[in-house]
Amino acid sequence: MSSHDRGDTPAAWPCIGTARLNLPAGVVARWAPGGSVVEHLDTEHCRITLGAWSWAGIAGILATFDTELADLHPPELAHACHRLADRLAVVADTEGRP
C-alpha cells in the first residue's frame, strides 16, 4: 500500500528489513516512514519493509507500532529486536525500583 507521498519501493538504506505486524495495512501505511512498503496480508495483518542506518533503528521504528511482530527478516533484525528488548527490560527494572 502506498500513497502519493510515499514511494512503492524501499529507500536506499544500509539496513533493510521486513516484519509482519498485527495491524491493518491502512493503519501502518498512515504512520510508516517515507520509503517504506506496506503490504496488505488480510484485514488484521500486514507486512512492512523499511530501512534505516542501523538494525536497531529499524527495531525502534517497529516498536512504535505497539503491536505483535512476526516473521522478522533478516536475522540481524531479529537480533536487534532482542537487544532492544534487553535494554528496555534493564531500564524498566531500574526505574521500577523505589
Side-chain angles (χ1 to χ4, degrees):
M1 182 174 250
S2 64
S3 66
H4 62 280
D5 62 340
R6 286 182 170 72
D8 60 358
T9 58
W13 289 100
C15 300
I16 296 177
T18 65
R20 181 177 181 262
L21 283 68
N22 287 3
L23 287 171
V27 171
V28 174
R30 180 173 181 193
W31 302 109
S36 300
V37 176
V38 177
E39 174 189 357
H40 170 85
L41 297 177
D42 61 39
T43 59
E44 297 179 11
H45 301 91
C46 67
R47 180 173 326 284
I48 186 169
T49 300
L50 69 159
W53 64 273
S54 69
W55 295 114
I58 296 174
I61 293 168
L62 291 173
T64 67
F65 288 101
D66 195 24
T67 190
E68 290 77 22
L69 304 171
D71 303 329
L72 296 168
H73 295 284
E76 292 88 351
L77 176 56
H79 182 68
C81 287
H82 286 290
R83 286 193 345 251
L84 179 60
D86 290 345
R87 288 181 189 136
L88 293 175
V90 168
V91 170
D93 288 345
T94 302
E95 297 297 320
R97 294 183 184 153

